[in-house]
Amino acid sequence: MQLHLAPMEGVVNARMRALLTAIGGIDRCITEFVRITDQLLPARVFHRLCPELDHGCKTPSGTPVYIQLLGGEPGPMGENAARAASLGALGIDTNFGCPAKCVNRHRGGSVLLDEPELLYQIIKSMRSAVPDYVPVTAKIRLGFNDDSKLIDVVSAITEAGANGLTIHARTKADGYKPPAHWHQLAKVHQFTTIPVIANGEVWSPADYQSCRQQSACSDVMLGRGLLARPDLALEIKSLSSGKEYHRQQWPSILILLEALFKDSVANCAPRHVGGPIKQWLGYLRREYPEAQQLFEKIKRLKTPADISAALREHRDYQLTVAA
C-alpha cells in the first residue's frame, strides 16, 4: 500500500513537499500543474515548479516527485512530457481533474472528461514521447457533470498506455462538497489493469480504512487531510503495520510552521511572506485549536517582523502553558 501527496495548486509547492515528506509515510508527491498550451516550454518553467529536479527529482528526505502537466492538445502535451523526462522527471502525471472554471474554459482539467477519445490521444502522445522507464499517469474525477462516462474514460486512459490512474471520487459538479463517493471506484477495476489510487475526503485513519474498503484500491492519495494532520500518512502507515502511534502535538506542528515561515522570509517578497503560514493555519485549525488562536493573532499582520514577533509570543505562551 502506498500513500501519495496530492498536487494542490498554490498550496503544495516544493517547500511544503519538503516539510510533509520529512515527517514520513508519504511514498510519492506530484507537483502543481505545469500549464501546457501550444508550445514547448523552456526548462526553467519545469525547474520553477519542480526544483527537486536538481536533486534527482526527490524531496530532501528522498520521496520521489512526479511532474504534472495540464493541457488539452495531444501534440504539445507529448512534447512537454518529453522535455520533463529529459530534465530528469521520475514520472509524468496528467491533470484531468481540475475543476477551476478558468482552467476548464480553456480546455484543461475536468472539462476533458466529457471527451474520452481526446484523453486517449493525449495519453498516447505522452506515452509515445517518453522513455518506457518513465511512468505516465493521470488524475481524474468521476466525471464532469455526472459519472456516465467514467468507464469510457478509464478504458481510454488504460488503452493509451498509462501506468497508473488516480481518481478523485467526486465529479466536477460536486466540487469539494462531502461526501467522496469511494464506492464508485470499485467498479472500475474490471475495466483496467493499471493501479488505481483513491482520492478524496480522507481526514483520518478511519477514513482511510473506509476508503480502501469501499473503493477496493490498495493505494490512496491524501490532500487536505494531510495538511490538517501533517503526520496523517505516518499514522496510517504505523497503524497498518500494527504499531502503536501517538499523534504529533501542537509544539511539534509549531516547529514546522516556524520552518515554513523562515523559508518564506528567505524566498518570498516581503509582502507575500505571511501568505504560506496563514494558508496552512487555515487547514491546521480543523485539528488543532491552537492553530485557530495563532491564526487570529497573525491574520491581519503584514510585515515579516510583526509576524515573527507574534510567532515568538505564541511559542512563549505555549511553553508557559506546558510548564
Side-chain angles (χ1 to χ4, degrees), residues 174-236:
D174 292 331
Y176 294 95
K177 298 188 300 291
H181 305 288
W182 301 319
H183 65 283
Q184 296 280 52
L185 276 58
K187 64 186 178 185
V188 308
H189 297 287
Q190 60 185 301
F191 299 97
T192 184
T193 56
I194 62 178
V196 178
I197 298 96
N199 175 226
E201 290 297 309
V202 177
W203 299 93
S204 67
D207 291 338
Y208 165 78
Q209 292 295 342
S210 294
C211 177
R212 284 195 65 183
Q213 291 168 5
Q214 294 183 39
S215 68
C217 293
S218 298
D219 303 334
V220 174
M221 177 174 281
L222 306 173
R224 294 174 298 160
L226 196 55
L227 290 169
R229 292 172 64 167
D231 63 337
L232 177 59
L234 183 59
E235 182 177 8
I236 290 171

Side-chain angles (χ1 to χ4, degrees), residues 22 27 40 42 69 83 86 96 140 160 177 179 192 220 225 237 258 276 278 283 304 319:
D27 298 291
L40 180 62
L69 307 184
R83 169 145 293 178
S86 73
F96 298 133
I140 67 172
K177 298 188 300 291
T192 184
V220 174
K237 285 287 184 69
E258 290 174 328
K278 293 176 186 178
Y283 291 99
L319 289 172

Side-chain angles (χ1 to χ4, degrees), residues 4 6 28 36-37 54 63 70 76 114 119 123 131 134 160 183 193 199 206 248 253-254 261 263 275 302 316 318-319:
H4 298 173
R28 182 192 302 167
I36 308 300
T37 54
D54 292 328
T63 303
L70 181 150
D114 277 343
L119 299 188
I123 295 295
V134 178
H183 65 283
T193 56
N199 175 226
Q248 288 191 354
I253 304 302
L254 186 56
F261 179 68
D263 185 275
K302 297 181 179 180
D316 292 343
Q318 293 299 319
L319 289 172

